[in-house]
Amino acid sequence: MTDATPPQAIANDDHAFAAWAAEQAGTRLLEVRTQGLEGRELKDAGDAAAQAVLAQLLAEHRPDDSVLSEEASDDKSRLQADRVWIIDPLDGTREFSEPPRDDWAVHVALWERGELTAGAVAQPALGETFHTGAPPVVAPRGDGAPRIAVSRTRPPAFVQALAEEIGAELVPMGSAGVKVMSVVRDVADAYVHAGGQYQWDNAAPVAVARAAGLHCSRVDGSTIVYNEDDTSLPDLIVCRPELADQIVAFVRRHGTD
């Protein structure tokens, strides 16, 4: 593992630590991709390698904090903790296992006493890391039709109906984090999802999107809550603020079935 950032620079800066840790895991994942593995072997190796990197870094640099990870057993002591790192070591394992696809990510977020306070989403194959320490600036929206990011394999039917109602086009892509970052990057204007996710799927992306000034909520417009006992977090909207009312109103009228 290469320490690209001196430990003293991250000692008291959770934003910097989140970005650095995500990048370190991303570097390891790029290495795993060069080892000649394919399919399920590559997916499993990537999950394990990135989890090992993040677990080591958290144990070394944030030893008193709790952790909720997709790739580790759920230690329920986190429910009484003041600080919980919510991580997805490899978001988009399918895309990771299909080189040279770049629509996969590493998520590292910090929850403190009811709020997300820091987060980073690394897209290693793009050489990009988006984080709350330097919130991204979202470009002004252009004159074209709104663009809605959707799953390339399982686009929900209700999003097609939403797109038709508001005159939007659908933009298929991989992982949840990549779809949220597509709004941050002005590749899409909204990401609307109701097909089932977990807290680690969107905690870091939502932290970054909020820092960038985007609207983030459940599909009914309610607040997204993290570090709950039930790790399921099945739906969300991340979009430019000017589209939020239209999208929430559509869901309230038509539901997501």
Side-chain angles (χ1 to χ4, degrees):
M1 184 187 306
T2 301
D3 285 356
T5 303
Q8 60 268 26
I10 62 170
N12 299 307
D13 188 334
D14 290 321
H15 305 286
F17 174 77
W20 174 70
E23 288 171 352
Q24 295 299 297
T27 297
R28 182 72 185 99
L29 284 165
L30 291 174
E31 293 171 352
V32 170
R33 250 189 168 186
T34 68
Q35 293 173 351
L37 302 174
E38 296 181 351
R40 171 53 62 186
E41 282 189 324
L42 180 54
K43 292 177 183 179
D44 291 346
D47 281 333
Q51 171 64 25
V53 170
L54 292 178
Q56 177 185 331
L57 295 179
L58 286 163
E60 181 177 352
H61 297 283
R62 297 294 187 272
D64 298 326
D65 296 347
S66 292
V67 180
L68 172 62
S69 172
E70 179 179 15
E71 300 302 326
S73 60
D74 184 3
D75 182 351
K76 295 294 186 178
S77 66
R78 66 180 172 80
L79 298 173
Q80 284 74 50
D82 288 336
R83 289 167 52 93
V84 181
W85 291 92
I86 303 176
I87 64 173
D88 189 345
L90 174 52
D91 182 56
T93 52
R94 180 197 296 264
E95 289 74 25
F96 173 77
S97 72
E98 298 175 1
R101 293 195 71 96
D102 59 24
D103 48 346
W104 51 277
V106 178
H107 299 176
V108 178
L110 175 63
W111 174 96
E112 292 186 273
R113 303 177 187 89
E115 298 291 339
L116 295 175
T117 56
V121 177
Q123 290 187 236
L126 288 182
E128 295 268 15
T129 301
F130 307 91
H131 63 95
T132 50
V137 176
V138 181
R141 188 176 161 222
D143 296 330
R147 302 155 298 172
I148 302 177
V150 295
S151 169
R152 71 184 182 100
T153 56
R154 300 179 302 277
F158 86 96
V159 177
Q160 178 65 58
L162 167 64
E164 292 171 1
E165 177 163 307
I166 69 173
E169 61 183 46
L170 301 182
V171 184
M173 61 187 73
S175 83
V178 167
K179 288 194 269 290
V180 175
M181 290 307 100
S182 75
V183 186
V184 171
R185 297 170 56 218
D186 191 31
V187 175
D189 300 299
Y191 171 40
V192 186
H193 178 79
Q197 287 185 3
Y198 294 88
Q199 295 178 43
W200 47 75
D201 289 313
N202 57 56
V206 164
V208 175
R210 283 178 177 168
L214 296 172
H215 168 90
C216 303
S217 73
R218 300 288 297 269
V219 291
D220 63 359
S222 62
T223 301
I224 308 172
V225 180
Y226 293 95
N227 197 36
E228 296 287 275
D229 186 11
D230 183 357
T231 58
S232 174
L233 211 170
D235 58 77
L236 82 161
I237 297 169
V238 177
C239 67
R240 292 177 178 272
E242 62 268 28
L243 295 175
D245 288 346
Q246 279 182 288
I247 295 171
V248 171
F250 175 90
V251 173
R252 288 177 175 170
R253 287 198 312 273
H254 301 287
T256 59
D257 297 329

